[in-house]
Coordinates of all heavy atoms in Angstrom, one line a residue:
M1 N 149.0 180.6 96.3 CA 149.5 179.9 95.2 C 149.1 178.4 95.3 O 148.9 177.9 96.4 CB 151.0 179.9 95.2 CG 151.7 181.3 95.0 SD 151.2 182.3 93.5 CE 151.4 181.2 92.2
L2 N 148.9 177.8 94.1 CA 148.5 176.4 94.1 C 149.6 175.5 93.8 O 150.5 175.8 93.0 CB 147.4 176.3 93.0 CG 146.1 177.0 93.2 CD1 145.2 176.9 92.0 CD2 145.4 176.5 94.5
R3 N 149.6 174.4 94.4 CA 150.5 173.3 94.2 C 152.0 173.7 94.2 O 152.5 174.3 95.1 CB 150.1 172.5 93.0 CG 148.8 171.9 93.1 CD 148.5 171.0 92.0 NE 147.1 170.5 92.1 CZ 146.3 170.2 91.2 NH1 146.8 170.3 89.9 NH2 145.1 169.9 91.4
D4 N 152.7 173.4 93.1 CA 154.1 173.7 93.0 C 154.4 175.0 92.2 O 155.4 175.1 91.5 CB 154.9 172.5 92.4 CG 154.5 172.2 91.0 OD1 153.4 172.6 90.6 OD2 155.3 171.6 90.3
N5 N 153.5 176.0 92.2 CA 153.7 177.2 91.6 C 154.4 178.3 92.5 O 154.2 178.2 93.7 CB 152.4 177.8 91.1 CG 151.8 177.0 89.9 OD1 152.5 176.6 89.0 ND2 150.5 176.7 90.0
V6 N 155.1 179.2 91.8 CA 155.8 180.2 92.6 C 155.5 181.6 91.9 O 155.6 181.7 90.7 CB 157.4 179.9 92.5 CG1 158.1 181.0 93.2 CG2 157.7 178.6 93.1
L7 N 155.2 182.6 92.7 CA 154.9 183.9 92.1 C 156.3 184.7 92.2 O 156.8 184.8 93.3 CB 153.8 184.6 92.9 CG 153.5 186.0 92.4 CD1 152.8 185.9 91.0 CD2 152.5 186.7 93.4
V8 N 156.7 185.2 91.1 CA 158.1 185.8 91.0 C 157.9 187.3 90.6 O 157.2 187.6 89.6 CB 159.0 185.1 90.0 CG1 160.3 185.8 90.0 CG2 159.1 183.6 90.4
K9 N 158.4 188.2 91.4 CA 158.4 189.6 91.1 C 159.5 189.9 90.1 O 160.7 189.7 90.3 CB 158.6 190.4 92.3 CG 158.5 191.9 92.1 CD 158.7 192.7 93.4 CE 158.6 194.1 93.3 NZ 158.8 194.8 94.6
I10 N 159.1 190.4 88.9 CA 160.1 190.8 87.9 C 160.4 192.2 88.0 O 159.5 193.1 88.1 CB 159.5 190.5 86.5 CG1 159.0 189.0 86.4 CG2 160.4 190.8 85.4 CD1 160.1 188.0 86.5
E11 N 161.7 192.5 87.9 CA 162.1 193.9 87.9 C 161.6 194.7 86.7 O 161.9 194.2 85.6 CB 163.7 194.0 88.0 CG 164.2 195.4 88.1 CD 165.7 195.5 88.3 OE1 166.2 194.6 89.0 OE2 166.3 196.3 87.7
K12 N 160.9 195.7 86.9 CA 160.3 196.5 85.8 C 161.4 197.3 85.0 O 162.2 198.0 85.6 CB 159.3 197.4 86.3 CG 158.4 198.0 85.2 CD 157.2 198.7 85.7 CE 156.2 199.1 84.6 NZ 155.0 199.6 85.1
K13 N 161.5 197.1 83.7 CA 162.4 197.8 82.9 C 161.7 198.9 82.1 O 160.6 198.8 81.8 CB 163.0 196.8 81.9 CG 163.6 195.6 82.6 CD 164.9 195.2 82.0 CE 165.4 194.0 82.8 NZ 166.4 193.5 82.9
D14 N 162.5 200.0 81.9 CA 161.9 201.1 81.2 C 161.6 200.7 79.7 O 162.3 199.8 79.2 CB 162.9 202.3 81.2 CG 163.0 202.8 82.6 OD1 162.1 202.7 83.4 OD2 164.1 203.4 82.9
D15 N 160.6 201.3 79.1 CA 160.4 201.1 77.7 C 161.5 201.6 76.9 O 162.2 202.6 77.1 CB 159.1 201.8 77.3 CG 157.8 201.3 77.9 OD1 157.8 200.0 78.2 OD2 156.9 202.0 78.1
A16 N 161.8 200.8 75.8 CA 162.9 201.2 74.9 C 162.3 202.4 74.0 O 161.2 202.4 73.6 CB 163.2 200.0 74.0
E17 N 163.3 203.3 73.7 CA 162.9 204.4 72.9 C 163.9 204.6 71.8 O 165.1 204.5 72.0 CB 162.9 205.7 73.8 CG 162.3 206.9 73.2 CD 162.1 208.0 74.3 OE1 161.6 207.8 75.3 OE2 162.6 209.1 73.9
S18 N 163.5 205.0 70.6 CA 164.4 205.2 69.5 C 165.0 206.6 69.7 O 164.6 207.4 70.5 CB 163.6 205.2 68.2 OG 162.8 206.3 68.1
M19 N 166.0 206.9 68.9 CA 166.7 208.1 68.9 C 165.8 209.3 68.7 O 166.0 210.4 69.1 CB 167.9 208.1 68.0 CG 169.0 207.2 68.4 SD 170.4 207.2 67.4 CE 171.1 208.8 67.8
G20 N 164.7 209.0 67.9 CA 163.8 210.1 67.5 C 162.7 210.3 68.6 O 161.8 211.1 68.4
G21 N 162.7 209.4 69.6 CA 161.7 209.6 70.7 C 160.5 208.7 70.6 O 159.6 208.8 71.3
I22 N 160.6 207.8 69.6 CA 159.4 206.8 69.4 C 159.6 205.6 70.4 O 160.7 205.0 70.4 CB 159.4 206.4 68.0 CG1 159.1 207.6 67.1 CG2 158.3 205.3 67.8 CD1 159.2 207.2 65.6
L23 N 158.5 205.3 71.1 CA 158.6 204.1 72.0 C 158.5 202.9 71.1 O 157.7 202.8 70.2 CB 157.4 204.1 72.9 CG 157.4 205.2 74.0 CD1 156.2 205.2 74.9 CD2 158.7 205.1 74.9
L24 N 159.4 201.9 71.5 CA 159.4 200.7 70.7 C 158.8 199.6 71.5 O 158.9 199.5 72.7 CB 160.9 200.3 70.5 CG 161.7 201.3 69.7 CD1 163.2 200.9 69.7 CD2 161.2 201.5 68.3
A25 N 158.1 198.7 70.8 CA 157.5 197.5 71.4 C 158.5 196.6 72.0 O 159.6 196.5 71.4 CB 156.6 196.8 70.4
K26 N 158.2 195.8 73.1 CA 159.2 194.9 73.7 C 159.6 193.9 72.6 O 160.8 193.4 72.6 CB 158.5 194.2 74.9 CG 158.3 195.1 76.0 CD 157.7 194.3 77.2 CE 157.4 195.2 78.4 NZ 156.8 194.5 79.5
S27 N 158.7 193.4 71.8 CA 159.0 192.4 70.8 C 160.0 192.9 69.7 O 160.7 192.1 69.1 CB 157.7 191.8 70.2 OG 157.1 192.9 69.5
S28 N 160.0 194.2 69.5 CA 160.9 194.7 68.4 C 162.3 195.0 68.9 O 163.2 195.3 68.1 CB 160.3 195.9 67.8 OG 160.2 197.0 68.7
T29 N 162.5 195.0 70.2 CA 163.8 195.4 70.7 C 164.8 194.2 70.7 O 166.0 194.5 70.8 CB 163.7 195.9 72.2 OG1 163.2 194.9 73.0 CG2 162.9 197.2 72.2
G30 N 164.3 193.0 70.5 CA 165.2 191.9 70.5 C 165.7 191.4 71.8 O 166.6 190.5 71.9
K31 N 165.2 192.0 72.9 CA 165.6 191.6 74.2 C 164.8 190.4 74.7 O 163.6 190.4 74.4 CB 165.4 192.8 75.2 CG 166.3 193.9 74.9 CD 166.1 195.0 75.9 CE 166.9 196.2 75.6 NZ 166.6 197.4 76.4
P32 N 165.4 189.4 75.3 CA 164.7 188.2 75.7 C 163.8 188.6 76.9 O 164.0 189.5 77.6 CB 165.8 187.2 76.1 CG 167.0 188.1 76.5 CD 166.9 189.3 75.6
A33 N 162.8 187.7 77.1 CA 161.9 187.9 78.3 C 162.7 187.7 79.6 O 163.7 187.0 79.6 CB 160.8 186.8 78.2
P34 N 162.3 188.3 80.7 CA 163.1 188.2 81.9 C 163.1 186.8 82.4 O 162.1 186.1 82.3 CB 162.3 189.1 82.9 CG 161.0 189.5 82.2 CD 161.1 189.2 80.8
T35 N 164.2 186.4 83.0 CA 164.3 185.0 83.5 C 164.8 185.0 85.0 O 165.3 184.0 85.5 CB 165.3 184.2 82.7 OG1 166.6 184.9 82.6 CG2 164.8 184.0 81.3
M36 N 164.8 186.2 85.6 CA 165.3 186.3 87.0 C 164.3 187.1 87.8 O 163.6 188.0 87.2 CB 166.6 186.9 87.1 CG 167.7 186.0 86.6 SD 169.4 186.7 86.7 CE 169.4 187.8 88.1
G37 N 164.2 186.9 89.1 CA 163.3 187.7 89.9 C 163.3 187.2 91.3 O 164.0 186.3 91.7
E38 N 162.5 187.9 92.2 CA 162.4 187.6 93.6 C 161.1 186.9 93.9 O 160.1 187.3 93.4 CB 162.4 188.9 94.4 CG 162.3 188.7 95.9 CD 162.2 190.0 96.6 OE1 162.4 191.1 96.0 OE2 162.0 190.0 97.9
V39 N 161.3 185.8 94.6 CA 160.1 185.0 95.0 C 159.2 185.8 96.0 O 159.7 186.3 97.0 CB 160.5 183.7 95.6 CG1 159.3 182.9 96.1 CG2 161.3 182.8 94.6
V40 N 157.9 185.9 95.6 CA 157.0 186.6 96.5 C 156.1 185.7 97.3 O 155.9 185.9 98.5 CB 156.1 187.6 95.6 CG1 155.1 188.3 96.5 CG2 157.0 188.6 94.9
K41 N 155.6 184.6 96.6 CA 154.7 183.7 97.2 C 155.0 182.3 96.7 O 155.4 182.2 95.5 CB 153.3 184.1 97.0 CG 152.3 183.4 97.8 CD 151.2 184.4 98.2 CE 150.2 183.6 99.0 NZ 150.2 184.0 100.4
V42 N 154.9 181.3 97.5 CA 155.2 179.9 97.2 C 154.0 179.0 97.5 O 153.4 179.1 98.6 CB 156.4 179.4 97.9 CG1 156.8 178.0 97.6 CG2 157.6 180.3 97.7
G43 N 153.7 178.1 96.6 CA 152.6 177.1 96.9 C 153.1 176.1 97.8 O 154.3 176.0 98.2
P44 N 152.3 175.2 98.3 CA 152.7 174.2 99.3 C 153.5 173.1 98.8 O 154.3 172.4 99.6 CB 151.3 173.7 99.8 CG 150.4 173.9 98.7 CD 150.8 175.1 98.0
G45 N 153.4 172.8 97.5 CA 154.2 171.6 97.0 C 153.2 170.8 96.2 O 152.1 171.1 95.9
R46 N 153.7 169.5 95.8 CA 152.9 168.6 95.1 C 153.2 167.2 95.4 O 154.2 166.9 96.1 CB 153.0 168.8 93.6 CG 154.4 168.4 93.0 CD 154.4 168.6 91.5 NE 155.7 168.2 91.0 CZ 155.9 167.1 90.4 NH1 154.9 166.2 90.2 NH2 157.1 166.8 89.9
Y47 N 152.3 166.3 95.0 CA 152.5 164.9 95.3 C 153.2 164.2 94.1 O 152.9 164.5 92.9 CB 151.1 164.2 95.5 CG 150.6 164.5 96.8 CD1 149.6 165.5 97.0 CD2 151.0 163.8 98.0 CE1 149.1 165.8 98.2 CE2 150.4 164.1 99.2 CZ 149.5 165.1 99.3 OH 149.0 165.4 100.6
A48 N 154.2 163.4 94.4 CA 155.0 162.7 93.4 C 154.1 161.5 92.9 O 153.1 161.1 93.5 CB 156.3 162.2 94.0
M49 N 154.6 160.8 91.9 CA 153.9 159.7 91.3 C 153.8 158.5 92.3 O 152.8 157.8 92.3 CB 154.7 159.1 90.1 CG 154.7 160.1 88.9 SD 153.1 160.4 88.2 CE 152.9 158.9 87.3
N50 N 154.7 158.4 93.3 CA 154.6 157.3 94.3 C 153.8 157.7 95.5 O 153.7 157.0 96.4 CB 156.0 156.9 94.7 CG 156.7 158.1 95.5 OD1 156.2 159.1 95.7 ND2 158.0 157.8 95.9
G51 N 153.2 158.9 95.5 CA 152.3 159.3 96.5 C 152.9 160.1 97.6 O 152.2 160.6 98.5
S52 N 154.2 160.3 97.6 CA 154.9 161.1 98.6 C 154.8 162.6 98.3 O 154.7 162.9 97.2 CB 156.4 160.7 98.8 OG 157.1 161.0 97.6
F53 N 154.7 163.4 99.4 CA 154.6 164.8 99.2 C 155.9 165.5 99.0 O 156.9 165.2 99.8 CB 153.9 165.4 100.4 CG 153.5 166.9 100.2 CD1 152.5 167.2 99.4 CD2 154.2 167.9 100.8 CE1 152.1 168.5 99.2 CE2 153.9 169.2 100.7 CZ 152.8 169.5 99.8
M54 N 156.1 166.3 98.0 CA 157.3 167.0 97.7 C 157.2 168.4 98.1 O 156.4 169.2 97.5 CB 157.7 166.9 96.2 CG 157.8 165.4 95.7 SD 158.0 165.3 93.9 CE 159.2 166.4 93.5
E55 N 157.9 168.9 99.0 CA 157.9 170.3 99.5 C 158.7 171.1 98.6 O 159.5 170.7 97.8 CB 158.4 170.4 100.9 CG 157.6 169.6 101.9 CD 158.0 169.9 103.4 OE1 158.9 170.7 103.6 OE2 157.4 169.2 104.2
M56 N 158.5 172.4 98.6 CA 159.1 173.4 97.8 C 160.5 173.7 98.3 O 160.8 173.7 99.5 CB 158.3 174.7 97.8 CG 156.9 174.5 97.3 SD 156.8 174.0 95.6 CE 156.9 175.6 94.8
D57 N 161.4 173.9 97.3 CA 162.8 174.2 97.6 C 163.1 175.7 97.8 O 164.3 176.1 98.1 CB 163.8 173.6 96.6 CG 163.7 172.1 96.5 OD1 163.5 171.5 97.6 OD2 163.9 171.5 95.4
V58 N 162.2 176.6 97.5 CA 162.4 178.0 97.6 C 161.4 178.6 98.5 O 160.4 178.0 98.9 CB 162.2 178.7 96.2 CG1 163.3 178.2 95.2 CG2 160.8 178.5 95.6
E59 N 161.7 179.8 99.0 CA 160.8 180.5 99.9 C 160.7 182.0 99.6 O 161.6 182.4 98.8 CB 161.2 180.3 101.4 CG 162.6 180.7 101.7 CD 163.0 180.3 103.1 OE1 162.7 179.2 103.5 OE2 163.8 181.1 103.7
A60 N 159.8 182.7 100.1 CA 159.6 184.1 99.8 C 160.9 184.8 100.2 O 161.5 184.6 101.2 CB 158.5 184.7 100.6
G61 N 161.4 185.7 99.3 CA 162.6 186.5 99.5 C 163.8 185.9 98.7 O 164.8 186.7 98.5
D62 N 163.7 184.7 98.2 CA 164.8 184.1 97.4 C 164.9 184.8 96.1 O 163.8 185.1 95.5 CB 164.6 182.6 97.3 CG 164.9 181.8 98.5 OD1 165.5 182.3 99.5 OD2 164.5 180.6 98.5
M63 N 166.0 184.9 95.5 CA 166.2 185.3 94.1 C 166.4 184.1 93.3 O 167.1 183.2 93.7 CB 167.4 186.2 94.0 CG 167.3 187.6 94.6 SD 166.0 188.6 93.8 CE 166.7 188.9 92.2
I64 N 165.7 184.0 92.2 CA 165.8 182.8 91.4 C 166.0 183.1 89.9 O 165.8 184.2 89.5 CB 164.5 181.9 91.5 CG1 163.3 182.7 91.0 CG2 164.3 181.4 92.9 CD1 162.0 181.8 90.8
R65 N 166.5 182.1 89.2 CA 166.6 182.2 87.7 C 165.8 181.0 87.2 O 165.9 179.9 87.7 CB 168.0 182.0 87.3 CG 168.2 182.1 85.8 CD 169.7 182.3 85.4 NE 169.8 182.5 84.0 CZ 169.8 183.7 83.4 NH1 169.7 184.8 84.2 NH2 169.9 183.8 82.1
F66 N 164.9 181.3 86.2 CA 164.1 180.3 85.6 C 164.3 180.2 84.1 O 164.9 181.0 83.5 CB 162.6 180.5 86.0 CG 162.1 181.8 85.8 CD1 161.4 182.2 84.6 CD2 162.2 182.8 86.7 CE1 160.9 183.4 84.4 CE2 161.7 184.1 86.5 CZ 161.1 184.4 85.3
R67 N 163.8 179.1 83.5 CA 163.9 178.8 82.1 C 163.4 180.0 81.2 O 162.4 180.6 81.6 CB 163.2 177.5 81.7 CG 163.8 176.3 82.3 CD 163.0 175.1 81.9 NE 163.3 174.0 82.8 CZ 164.0 173.0 82.5 NH1 164.5 172.9 81.3 NH2 164.2 172.0 83.3
D68 N 164.0 180.2 80.1 CA 163.5 181.1 79.1 C 162.1 180.7 78.7 O 161.8 179.5 78.5 CB 164.4 181.1 77.9 CG 165.7 181.7 78.2 OD1 165.9 182.4 79.2 OD2 166.7 181.5 77.4
L69 N 161.2 181.6 78.4 CA 159.9 181.4 77.9 C 159.0 180.5 78.8 O 158.1 179.9 78.4 CB 159.9 180.8 76.5 CG 160.7 181.7 75.5 CD1 160.8 180.9 74.2 CD2 160.1 183.0 75.3
S70 N 159.3 180.4 80.1 CA 158.5 179.6 81.0 C 157.7 180.6 81.9 O 157.9 181.8 82.0 CB 159.4 178.8 81.9 OG 160.2 179.6 82.8
G71 N 156.7 180.0 82.5 CA 155.8 180.8 83.3 C 154.8 181.7 82.6 O 154.8 181.7 81.3
N72 N 153.9 182.2 83.3 CA 152.9 183.1 82.8 C 153.0 184.5 83.4 O 153.1 184.6 84.6 CB 151.5 182.6 83.1 CG 151.2 181.3 82.4 OD1 151.4 181.1 81.2 ND2 150.7 180.3 83.2
T73 N 153.1 185.5 82.5 CA 153.3 186.9 83.0 C 152.0 187.5 83.4 O 151.0 187.4 82.6 CB 154.0 187.7 81.9 OG1 155.2 187.1 81.6 CG2 154.3 189.1 82.5
V74 N 151.9 188.1 84.6 CA 150.7 188.8 85.0 C 151.2 190.2 85.5 O 152.3 190.4 85.9 CB 150.0 188.1 86.1 CG1 149.4 186.8 85.6 CG2 150.8 187.8 87.3
E75 N 150.3 191.2 85.5 CA 150.6 192.5 86.0 C 149.6 192.8 87.1 O 148.4 192.7 86.9 CB 150.5 193.5 84.9 CG 151.1 194.9 85.3 CD 151.3 195.8 84.1 OE1 151.8 195.4 83.1 OE2 150.8 197.0 84.2
I76 N 150.1 193.1 88.3 CA 149.3 193.5 89.4 C 149.7 194.8 89.9 O 150.9 195.0 90.3 CB 149.4 192.4 90.5 CG1 149.0 191.0 90.0 CG2 148.5 192.8 91.7 CD1 149.3 189.9 90.9
D77 N 148.8 195.8 90.0 CA 149.2 197.1 90.5 C 150.4 197.7 89.8 O 151.4 198.2 90.5 CB 149.4 197.1 92.0 CG 148.1 196.8 92.7 OD1 147.0 197.1 92.2 OD2 148.2 196.2 93.8
D78 N 150.5 197.7 88.5 CA 151.6 198.2 87.7 C 152.9 197.5 88.0 O 154.0 198.1 87.7 CB 151.7 199.7 87.8 CG 150.5 200.4 87.2 OD1 150.0 199.9 86.2 OD2 150.2 201.5 87.7
Q79 N 152.9 196.3 88.5 CA 154.1 195.5 88.8 C 154.0 194.2 88.0 O 153.0 193.6 88.0 CB 154.3 195.3 90.3 CG 155.5 194.4 90.6 CD 156.8 195.0 90.2 OE1 157.1 196.2 90.6 NE2 157.6 194.3 89.5
E80 N 155.1 193.9 87.3 CA 155.1 192.7 86.5 C 155.5 191.5 87.4 O 156.5 191.5 88.1 CB 156.0 192.8 85.3 CG 156.0 191.7 84.3 CD 156.9 192.0 83.1 OE1 157.4 193.1 83.0 OE2 157.0 191.1 82.3
Y81 N 154.7 190.4 87.3 CA 155.0 189.1 88.0 C 155.0 188.0 87.0 O 154.4 188.1 85.9 CB 154.0 188.8 89.1 CG 154.0 189.8 90.2 CD1 153.1 191.0 90.1 CD2 154.7 189.6 91.3 CE1 153.1 191.9 91.2 CE2 154.7 190.5 92.4 CZ 153.9 191.6 92.3 OH 153.9 192.5 93.3
S82 N 155.6 186.9 87.4 CA 155.5 185.7 86.6 C 155.2 184.5 87.5 O 155.7 184.4 88.6 CB 156.9 185.4 85.9 OG 156.8 184.3 85.0
V83 N 154.3 183.7 87.0 CA 153.9 182.5 87.8 C 154.7 181.3 87.2 O 154.5 181.0 86.0 CB 152.4 182.2 87.7 CG1 152.1 180.9 88.5 CG2 151.6 183.4 88.3
V84 N 155.6 180.7 87.9 CA 156.5 179.7 87.4 C 156.4 178.4 88.2 O 156.2 178.5 89.4 CB 158.0 180.2 87.6 CG1 159.0 179.2 87.1 CG2 158.2 181.6 86.9
R85 N 156.4 177.3 87.5 CA 156.4 176.0 88.2 C 157.7 175.7 88.8 O 158.8 176.1 88.3 CB 155.9 174.9 87.3 CG 154.5 175.2 86.8 CD 153.9 174.0 86.2 NE 153.8 172.9 87.2 CZ 153.2 171.8 87.0 NH1 152.6 171.6 85.8 NH2 153.1 170.9 87.9
M86 N 157.8 174.9 89.9 CA 159.0 174.6 90.6 C 160.0 173.9 89.6 O 161.2 174.2 89.7 CB 158.7 173.7 91.8 CG 159.9 173.4 92.6 SD 160.5 174.9 93.4 CE 162.1 174.4 93.9
N87 N 159.5 173.0 88.7 CA 160.5 172.3 87.9 C 161.1 173.2 86.8 O 162.0 172.8 86.1 CB 159.8 171.1 87.3 CG 158.6 171.4 86.4 OD1 158.2 172.5 86.3 ND2 158.1 170.4 85.8
E88 N 160.6 174.5 86.6 CA 161.2 175.4 85.7 C 162.2 176.3 86.3 O 162.9 177.1 85.6 CB 160.1 176.3 85.1 CG 159.0 175.5 84.3 CD 157.9 176.3 83.9 OE1 157.5 177.3 84.5 OE2 157.2 175.9 82.8
I89 N 162.4 176.2 87.6 CA 163.4 177.0 88.3 C 164.8 176.3 88.1 O 165.0 175.2 88.5 CB 163.1 177.2 89.8 CG1 161.8 178.0 89.9 CG2 164.2 177.9 90.5 CD1 161.3 178.1 91.3
L90 N 165.8 177.1 87.7 CA 167.1 176.6 87.4 C 168.1 176.8 88.6 O 168.9 176.0 88.9 CB 167.7 177.2 86.2 CG 166.9 177.0 84.9 CD1 167.5 177.8 83.8 CD2 166.8 175.5 84.5
A91 N 167.9 177.9 89.3 CA 168.9 178.2 90.4 C 168.2 179.2 91.4 O 167.3 180.0 91.0 CB 170.1 178.8 89.8
K92 N 168.7 179.1 92.6 CA 168.3 180.2 93.6 C 169.6 180.7 94.2 O 170.6 180.0 94.4 CB 167.3 179.6 94.6 CG 167.9 178.8 95.7 CD 166.9 178.5 96.8 CE 167.6 177.8 97.9 NZ 166.6 177.5 99.0
F93 N 169.5 182.0 94.6 CA 170.7 182.6 95.1 C 170.3 183.8 96.0 O 169.1 184.1 96.1 CB 171.7 183.1 94.1 CG 171.0 183.8 92.9 CD1 171.0 185.2 92.9 CD2 170.5 183.1 91.8 CE1 170.4 185.9 91.8 CE2 170.0 183.8 90.8 CZ 169.9 185.1 90.7

């Protein structure tokens, strides 16, 4: 990972299906994009405006919640991940 980016594993949800058996697109179900997941990989951090190095507050294995519509979704080996910046993380637990 680069700088202050975090790779988050998103829990895969089953596709929505209508009562007639038709698969529905994610955008038509009205469900929001996932905003929680498990940290898989963490970048080293970034430099602040004053030149000091800011380390990351999360580590691999942490569960986090991040802002709605933040990050970039990627799929690796049929698993959904999101690349989120550290400043978009709201909580860890």
Side-chain angles (χ1 to χ4, degrees):
M1 295 305 309
L2 296 175
R3 298 189 186 150
D4 64 339
N5 290 316
V6 178
L7 183 66
V8 181
K9 181 179 180 182
I10 305 298
E11 184 176 318
K12 193 168 187 175
K13 306 220 178 197
D14 294 335
D15 291 331
E17 191 173 309
S18 71
M19 292 182 70
I22 298 172
L23 291 177
L24 303 173
K26 290 180 184 179
S27 60
S28 68
T29 60
K31 295 180 183 175
T35 58
M36 288 181 30
E38 179 184 355
V39 175
V40 176
K41 193 140 178 111
V42 179
R46 69 181 181 100
Y47 286 96
M49 295 292 284
N50 65 2
S52 64
F53 188 73
M54 299 171 54
E55 294 186 7
M56 303 294 277
D57 295 330
V58 297
E59 56 188 38
D62 288 344
M63 290 295 292
I64 62 167
R65 180 169 187 90
F66 50 93
R67 295 177 197 255
D68 294 341
L69 304 175
S70 65
N72 295 311
T73 304
V74 294
E75 191 168 312
I76 304 169
D77 297 330
D78 292 329
Q79 176 62 51
E80 188 176 355
Y81 294 90
S82 185
V83 178
V84 180
R85 295 194 65 170
M86 186 65 197
N87 63 355
E88 296 173 335
I89 296 174
L90 302 174
K92 79 172 184 176
F93 44 95

